Amino acid sequence: MEFRVFPEPAVKAELEKFIRVRLYTDNGSEVENKNGQYALELLNNAVNPLYAVIDGDGKLLANTDYNIAKDVSKMTEWLKKAL
């Protein structure tokens, strides 16, 4: 998704409205184990990939998984609604 869908103009335009952060969770390091625990606590999910919109106070506003993010129009709409 990051290489196929995110560069598409409609998705890219929406993503530019956000501060983007990657949370790596799957290589087994101590930091990534903590990241995975954070994702599990916040989202009740730790699947990869998982996309979330979180406000400045750490409140979850929206989240989605691979199924939305692999489609340009669905991802664009999800981002618009999440904002």
Side-chain angles (χ1 to χ4, degrees), residues 48-83:
N48 285 315
L50 183 66
Y51 303 96
V53 176
I54 301 166
D55 71 10
D57 295 321
K59 179 183 174 192
L60 177 66
L61 301 177
N63 68 308
T64 192
D65 62 13
Y66 173 83
N67 293 313
I68 295 291
K70 66 182 179 181
D71 180 279
V72 172
S73 63
K74 288 180 182 178
M75 186 65 172
T76 302
E77 287 306 308
W78 180 79
L79 289 167
K80 287 179 181 179
K81 288 179 185 176
L83 190 61

Side-chain angles (χ1 to χ4, degrees), residues 22-37:
R22 288 183 180 165
L23 187 66
Y24 293 100
T25 62
D26 59 357
N27 85 349
S29 72
E30 183 178 342
V31 169
E32 291 192 12
N33 287 338
K34 288 180 181 181
N35 289 347
Q37 185 62 37

